[in-house]
Amino acid sequence: QVQLVESGGGLVQAGGSLRLSCAASGRTFSRYSMGWFRQAPGKEREFVAAISWSGGNTYYRDSVKGRFTISRDNAKNTVYLQMNSLKPEDTAVYYCAARNHVIATTTERYDYWGQGTQVTVSS
């Protein structure tokens, strides 16, 4: 069992930056691939970024490539999402997720989810 708690969301102007954190419970965090997803009002939850258990492999949705960076610190049981050059269309609730398997980019492949943190980008 893994429990995930996101933090770091907030209100920022377009062009600004935020860093999201996801703290995980449990002693087996380093075995889990981790992902960030987001859900805007009236839309389905969508993939943002994912990172393998070692941090050696990462994936991003096309619209955030070059702006967002996912990373992890297994000693701290934490995964991060650095978001730069934010745009109004990045506004959503951001969720982190964990799966005890290889890296994946779809919601149904993840076993554990956090409660989400709101990111609002004003124009």
Side-chain angles (χ1 to χ4, degrees), residues 47-59:
F47 168 75
V48 176
I51 189 166
S52 61
W53 66 271
S54 67
N57 291 317
T58 57
Y59 290 97

Side-chain angles (χ1 to χ4, degrees), residues 43-85:
K43 296 187 177 181
E44 292 187 353
R45 192 169 298 187
E46 64 182 19
F47 168 75
V48 176
I51 189 166
S52 61
W53 66 271
S54 67
N57 291 317
T58 57
Y59 290 97
Y60 299 92
R61 71 179 297 108
D62 286 345
S63 63
V64 308
K65 286 180 181 178
R67 300 189 297 123
F68 291 11
T69 302
I70 188 170
S71 62
R72 66 189 296 161
D73 185 337
N74 287 342
K76 295 182 178 180
N77 281 14
T78 303
V79 62
Y80 305 97
L81 186 67
Q82 178 66 45
M83 305 186 295
N84 299 328
S85 302

